PDB file of all heavy atoms in Angstrom:
ATOM      1  N   ALA A 291      47.699  -6.666-152.721  1.00  0.00           N
ATOM      2  CA  ALA A 291      47.004  -7.960-152.518  1.00  0.00           C
ATOM      3  C   ALA A 291      47.771  -9.107-153.209  1.00  0.00           C
ATOM      4  O   ALA A 291      47.967 -10.187-152.643  1.00  0.00           O
ATOM      5  CB  ALA A 291      45.584  -7.902-153.011  1.00  0.00           C
ATOM      6  N   LEU A 292      48.237  -8.843-154.476  1.00  0.00           N
ATOM      7  CA  LEU A 292      48.960  -9.897-155.198  1.00  0.00           C
ATOM      8  C   LEU A 292      50.275 -10.287-154.451  1.00  0.00           C
ATOM      9  O   LEU A 292      50.584 -11.475-154.311  1.00  0.00           O
ATOM     10  CB  LEU A 292      49.232  -9.406-156.590  1.00  0.00           C
ATOM     11  CG  LEU A 292      49.994 -10.360-157.514  1.00  0.00           C
ATOM     12  CD1 LEU A 292      49.238 -11.687-157.667  1.00  0.00           C
ATOM     13  CD2 LEU A 292      50.231  -9.764-158.864  1.00  0.00           C
ATOM     14  N   TRP A 293      51.052  -9.261-154.021  1.00  0.00           N
ATOM     15  CA  TRP A 293      52.259  -9.557-153.311  1.00  0.00           C
ATOM     16  C   TRP A 293      51.957 -10.277-151.973  1.00  0.00           C
ATOM     17  O   TRP A 293      52.601 -11.233-151.672  1.00  0.00           O
ATOM     18  CB  TRP A 293      53.002  -8.252-153.035  1.00  0.00           C
ATOM     19  CG  TRP A 293      53.894  -7.833-154.178  1.00  0.00           C
ATOM     20  CD1 TRP A 293      53.583  -6.923-155.128  1.00  0.00           C
ATOM     21  CD2 TRP A 293      55.225  -8.259-154.437  1.00  0.00           C
ATOM     22  NE1 TRP A 293      54.645  -6.747-155.997  1.00  0.00           N
ATOM     23  CE2 TRP A 293      55.681  -7.578-155.592  1.00  0.00           C
ATOM     24  CE3 TRP A 293      56.063  -9.144-153.803  1.00  0.00           C
ATOM     25  CZ2 TRP A 293      56.917  -7.783-156.140  1.00  0.00           C
ATOM     26  CZ3 TRP A 293      57.352  -9.382-154.356  1.00  0.00           C
ATOM     27  CH2 TRP A 293      57.786  -8.704-155.495  1.00  0.00           C
ATOM     28  N   SER A 294      51.008  -9.761-151.292  1.00  0.00           N
ATOM     29  CA  SER A 294      50.749 -10.241-149.906  1.00  0.00           C
ATOM     30  C   SER A 294      50.113 -11.565-149.844  1.00  0.00           C
ATOM     31  O   SER A 294      50.485 -12.435-149.086  1.00  0.00           O
ATOM     32  CB  SER A 294      49.832  -9.202-149.155  1.00  0.00           C
ATOM     33  OG  SER A 294      50.450  -7.904-149.144  1.00  0.00           O
ATOM     34  N   HIS A 295      49.121 -11.807-150.720  1.00  0.00           N
ATOM     35  CA  HIS A 295      48.316 -13.038-150.693  1.00  0.00           C
ATOM     36  C   HIS A 295      48.976 -14.148-151.449  1.00  0.00           C
ATOM     37  O   HIS A 295      48.878 -15.337-151.075  1.00  0.00           O
ATOM     38  CB  HIS A 295      46.901 -12.743-151.256  1.00  0.00           C
ATOM     39  CG  HIS A 295      45.955 -13.825-151.074  1.00  0.00           C
ATOM     40  ND1 HIS A 295      44.657 -13.825-151.482  1.00  0.00           N
ATOM     41  CD2 HIS A 295      46.088 -15.103-150.494  1.00  0.00           C
ATOM     42  CE1 HIS A 295      44.040 -14.957-151.205  1.00  0.00           C
ATOM     43  NE2 HIS A 295      44.889 -15.750-150.613  1.00  0.00           N
ATOM     44  N   LYS A 296      49.698 -13.831-152.502  1.00  0.00           N
ATOM     45  CA  LYS A 296      50.238 -14.866-153.350  1.00  0.00           C
ATOM     46  C   LYS A 296      51.771 -14.931-153.349  1.00  0.00           C
ATOM     47  O   LYS A 296      52.331 -15.957-152.951  1.00  0.00           O
ATOM     48  CB  LYS A 296      49.702 -14.633-154.774  1.00  0.00           C
ATOM     49  CG  LYS A 296      48.222 -14.805-154.904  1.00  0.00           C
ATOM     50  CD  LYS A 296      47.722 -16.186-154.571  1.00  0.00           C
ATOM     51  CE  LYS A 296      46.230 -16.345-154.764  1.00  0.00           C
ATOM     52  NZ  LYS A 296      45.757 -17.673-154.421  1.00  0.00           N
ATOM     53  N   ILE A 297      52.414 -13.877-153.868  1.00  0.00           N
ATOM     54  CA  ILE A 297      53.821 -13.993-154.157  1.00  0.00           C
ATOM     55  C   ILE A 297      54.650 -14.245-152.945  1.00  0.00           C
ATOM     56  O   ILE A 297      55.486 -15.178-152.909  1.00  0.00           O
ATOM     57  CB  ILE A 297      54.338 -12.710-154.847  1.00  0.00           C
ATOM     58  CG1 ILE A 297      53.613 -12.465-156.151  1.00  0.00           C
ATOM     59  CG2 ILE A 297      55.850 -12.733-155.094  1.00  0.00           C
ATOM     60  CD1 ILE A 297      53.905 -11.162-156.870  1.00  0.00           C
ATOM     61  N   ILE A 298      54.475 -13.542-151.854  1.00  0.00           N
ATOM     62  CA  ILE A 298      55.241 -13.754-150.596  1.00  0.00           C
ATOM     63  C   ILE A 298      54.919 -15.137-150.046  1.00  0.00           C
ATOM     64  O   ILE A 298      55.863 -15.890-149.657  1.00  0.00           O
ATOM     65  CB  ILE A 298      54.898 -12.686-149.559  1.00  0.00           C
ATOM     66  CG1 ILE A 298      55.359 -11.301-150.019  1.00  0.00           C
ATOM     67  CG2 ILE A 298      55.594 -13.023-148.233  1.00  0.00           C
ATOM     68  CD1 ILE A 298      54.976 -10.192-149.073  1.00  0.00           C
ATOM     69  N   ARG A 299      53.694 -15.516-150.137  1.00  0.00           N
ATOM     70  CA  ARG A 299      53.335 -16.911-149.605  1.00  0.00           C
ATOM     71  C   ARG A 299      53.969 -17.994-150.438  1.00  0.00           C
ATOM     72  O   ARG A 299      54.399 -19.021-149.925  1.00  0.00           O
ATOM     73  CB  ARG A 299      51.787 -17.047-149.579  1.00  0.00           C
ATOM     74  CG  ARG A 299      51.390 -18.315-148.777  1.00  0.00           C
ATOM     75  CD  ARG A 299      49.934 -18.538-148.791  1.00  0.00           C
ATOM     76  NE  ARG A 299      49.232 -17.433-148.112  1.00  0.00           N
ATOM     77  CZ  ARG A 299      47.900 -17.499-147.900  1.00  0.00           C
ATOM     78  NH1 ARG A 299      47.211 -18.526-148.309  1.00  0.00           N
ATOM     79  NH2 ARG A 299      47.273 -16.491-147.310  1.00  0.00           N
ATOM     80  N   TRP A 300      53.987 -17.826-151.770  1.00  0.00           N
ATOM     81  CA  TRP A 300      54.648 -18.827-152.634  1.00  0.00           C
ATOM     82  C   TRP A 300      56.101 -19.024-152.278  1.00  0.00           C
ATOM     83  O   TRP A 300      56.613 -20.133-152.373  1.00  0.00           O
ATOM     84  CB  TRP A 300      54.544 -18.442-154.065  1.00  0.00           C
ATOM     85  CG  TRP A 300      53.148 -18.476-154.642  1.00  0.00           C
ATOM     86  CD1 TRP A 300      52.099 -19.160-154.150  1.00  0.00           C
ATOM     87  CD2 TRP A 300      52.661 -17.760-155.794  1.00  0.00           C
ATOM     88  NE1 TRP A 300      50.981 -18.967-154.905  1.00  0.00           N
ATOM     89  CE2 TRP A 300      51.277 -18.083-155.925  1.00  0.00           C
ATOM     90  CE3 TRP A 300      53.243 -16.888-156.708  1.00  0.00           C
ATOM     91  CZ2 TRP A 300      50.489 -17.570-156.941  1.00  0.00           C
ATOM     92  CZ3 TRP A 300      52.453 -16.383-157.723  1.00  0.00           C
ATOM     93  CH2 TRP A 300      51.073 -16.677-157.808  1.00  0.00           C
ATOM     94  N   PHE A 301      56.774 -17.979-151.779  1.00  0.00           N
ATOM     95  CA  PHE A 301      58.183 -18.085-151.479  1.00  0.00           C
ATOM     96  C   PHE A 301      58.437 -18.190-149.977  1.00  0.00           C
ATOM     97  O   PHE A 301      59.590 -18.090-149.523  1.00  0.00           O
ATOM     98  CB  PHE A 301      58.926 -16.888-152.074  1.00  0.00           C
ATOM     99  CG  PHE A 301      59.001 -16.953-153.564  1.00  0.00           C
ATOM    100  CD1 PHE A 301      58.092 -16.219-154.313  1.00  0.00           C
ATOM    101  CD2 PHE A 301      59.989 -17.668-154.188  1.00  0.00           C
ATOM    102  CE1 PHE A 301      58.162 -16.330-155.761  1.00  0.00           C
ATOM    103  CE2 PHE A 301      60.051 -17.756-155.564  1.00  0.00           C
ATOM    104  CZ  PHE A 301      59.137 -17.079-156.345  1.00  0.00           C
ATOM    105  N   SER A 302      57.366 -18.367-149.206  1.00  0.00           N
ATOM    106  CA  SER A 302      57.530 -18.469-147.732  1.00  0.00           C
ATOM    107  C   SER A 302      58.410 -19.619-147.268  1.00  0.00           C
ATOM    108  O   SER A 302      59.090 -19.526-146.295  1.00  0.00           O
ATOM    109  CB  SER A 302      56.171 -18.491-147.066  1.00  0.00           C
ATOM    110  OG  SER A 302      55.400 -19.574-147.454  1.00  0.00           O
ATOM    111  N   PRO A 303      58.445 -20.784-148.030  1.00  0.00           N
ATOM    112  CA  PRO A 303      59.355 -21.889-147.589  1.00  0.00           C
ATOM    113  C   PRO A 303      60.794 -21.405-147.588  1.00  0.00           C
ATOM    114  O   PRO A 303      61.570 -21.817-146.673  1.00  0.00           O
ATOM    115  CB  PRO A 303      59.142 -22.959-148.632  1.00  0.00           C
ATOM    116  CG  PRO A 303      57.779 -22.689-149.175  1.00  0.00           C
ATOM    117  CD  PRO A 303      57.604 -21.253-149.177  1.00  0.00           C
ATOM    118  N   ILE A 304      61.170 -20.580-148.528  1.00  0.00           N
ATOM    119  CA  ILE A 304      62.554 -20.048-148.527  1.00  0.00           C
ATOM    120  C   ILE A 304      62.781 -19.128-147.307  1.00  0.00           C
ATOM    121  O   ILE A 304      63.840 -19.180-146.700  1.00  0.00           O
ATOM    122  CB  ILE A 304      62.827 -19.274-149.837  1.00  0.00           C
ATOM    123  CG1 ILE A 304      62.744 -20.258-151.067  1.00  0.00           C
ATOM    124  CG2 ILE A 304      64.183 -18.610-149.802  1.00  0.00           C
ATOM    125  CD1 ILE A 304      62.868 -19.605-152.387  1.00  0.00           C
ATOM    126  N   LEU A 305      61.743 -18.399-146.971  1.00  0.00           N
ATOM    127  CA  LEU A 305      61.843 -17.576-145.782  1.00  0.00           C
ATOM    128  C   LEU A 305      62.028 -18.367-144.520  1.00  0.00           C
ATOM    129  O   LEU A 305      62.854 -18.059-143.631  1.00  0.00           O
ATOM    130  CB  LEU A 305      60.614 -16.658-145.643  1.00  0.00           C
ATOM    131  CG  LEU A 305      60.349 -15.646-146.779  1.00  0.00           C
ATOM    132  CD1 LEU A 305      59.073 -14.936-146.574  1.00  0.00           C
ATOM    133  CD2 LEU A 305      61.521 -14.641-146.898  1.00  0.00           C
ATOM    134  N   PHE A 306      61.305 -19.449-144.397  1.00  0.00           N
ATOM    135  CA  PHE A 306      61.451 -20.362-143.261  1.00  0.00           C
ATOM    136  C   PHE A 306      62.849 -20.961-143.206  1.00  0.00           C
ATOM    137  O   PHE A 306      63.444 -21.129-142.102  1.00  0.00           O
ATOM    138  CB  PHE A 306      60.369 -21.471-143.280  1.00  0.00           C
ATOM    139  CG  PHE A 306      59.014 -21.041-142.908  1.00  0.00           C
ATOM    140  CD1 PHE A 306      57.948 -21.029-143.779  1.00  0.00           C
ATOM    141  CD2 PHE A 306      58.776 -20.601-141.560  1.00  0.00           C
ATOM    142  CE1 PHE A 306      56.714 -20.614-143.394  1.00  0.00           C
ATOM    143  CE2 PHE A 306      57.502 -20.188-141.168  1.00  0.00           C
ATOM    144  CZ  PHE A 306      56.463 -20.184-142.125  1.00  0.00           C
ATOM    145  N   LEU A 307      63.373 -21.398-144.340  1.00  0.00           N
ATOM    146  CA  LEU A 307      64.747 -21.977-144.359  1.00  0.00           C
ATOM    147  C   LEU A 307      65.755 -20.928-143.979  1.00  0.00           C
ATOM    148  O   LEU A 307      66.697 -21.192-143.205  1.00  0.00           O
ATOM    149  CB  LEU A 307      65.034 -22.500-145.756  1.00  0.00           C
ATOM    150  CG  LEU A 307      64.283 -23.796-146.170  1.00  0.00           C
ATOM    151  CD1 LEU A 307      64.523 -24.119-147.617  1.00  0.00           C
ATOM    152  CD2 LEU A 307      64.712 -24.983-145.280  1.00  0.00           C
ATOM    153  N   LEU A 308      65.616 -19.706-144.503  1.00  0.00           N
ATOM    154  CA  LEU A 308      66.547 -18.630-144.148  1.00  0.00           C
ATOM    155  C   LEU A 308      66.445 -18.318-142.629  1.00  0.00           C
ATOM    156  O   LEU A 308      67.461 -18.105-141.976  1.00  0.00           O
ATOM    157  CB  LEU A 308      66.178 -17.328-144.921  1.00  0.00           C
ATOM    158  CG  LEU A 308      66.836 -17.145-146.283  1.00  0.00           C
ATOM    159  CD1 LEU A 308      66.238 -15.940-146.981  1.00  0.00           C
ATOM    160  CD2 LEU A 308      68.315 -17.000-146.133  1.00  0.00           C
ATOM    161  N   LEU A 309      65.231 -18.314-142.138  1.00  0.00           N
ATOM    162  CA  LEU A 309      65.014 -18.032-140.724  1.00  0.00           C
ATOM    163  C   LEU A 309      65.785 -19.016-139.859  1.00  0.00           C
ATOM    164  O   LEU A 309      66.462 -18.653-138.892  1.00  0.00           O
ATOM    165  CB  LEU A 309      63.516 -18.086-140.431  1.00  0.00           C
ATOM    166  CG  LEU A 309      63.042 -17.388-139.146  1.00  0.00           C
ATOM    167  CD1 LEU A 309      63.313 -15.900-139.157  1.00  0.00           C
ATOM    168  CD2 LEU A 309      61.539 -17.672-138.953  1.00  0.00           C
ATOM    169  N   PHE A 310      65.693 -20.277-140.167  1.00  0.00           N
ATOM    170  CA  PHE A 310      66.345 -21.332-139.370  1.00  0.00           C
ATOM    171  C   PHE A 310      67.871 -21.245-139.532  1.00  0.00           C
ATOM    172  O   PHE A 310      68.617 -21.338-138.532  1.00  0.00           O
ATOM    173  CB  PHE A 310      65.860 -22.737-139.784  1.00  0.00           C
ATOM    174  CG  PHE A 310      66.205 -23.796-138.866  1.00  0.00           C
ATOM    175  CD1 PHE A 310      65.485 -24.020-137.708  1.00  0.00           C
ATOM    176  CD2 PHE A 310      67.306 -24.614-139.094  1.00  0.00           C
ATOM    177  CE1 PHE A 310      65.846 -24.982-136.777  1.00  0.00           C
ATOM    178  CE2 PHE A 310      67.704 -25.610-138.222  1.00  0.00           C
ATOM    179  CZ  PHE A 310      66.954 -25.809-137.065  1.00  0.00           C
ATOM    180  N   GLY A 311      68.331 -21.085-140.746  1.00  0.00           N
ATOM    181  CA  GLY A 311      69.767 -20.996-140.965  1.00  0.00           C
ATOM    182  C   GLY A 311      70.389 -19.774-140.320  1.00  0.00           C
ATOM    183  O   GLY A 311      71.455 -19.890-139.633  1.00  0.00           O
TER     184      GLY A 311
END
Side-chain angles (χ1 to χ4, degrees):
L292 180 58
W293 274 96
S294 303
H295 189 179
K296 297 297 182 181
I297 299 174
I298 296 175
R299 191 182 297 186
W300 291 338
F301 290 95
S302 60
I304 296 175
L305 297 176
F306 283 115
L307 289 172
L308 271 173
L309 198 63
F310 193 80

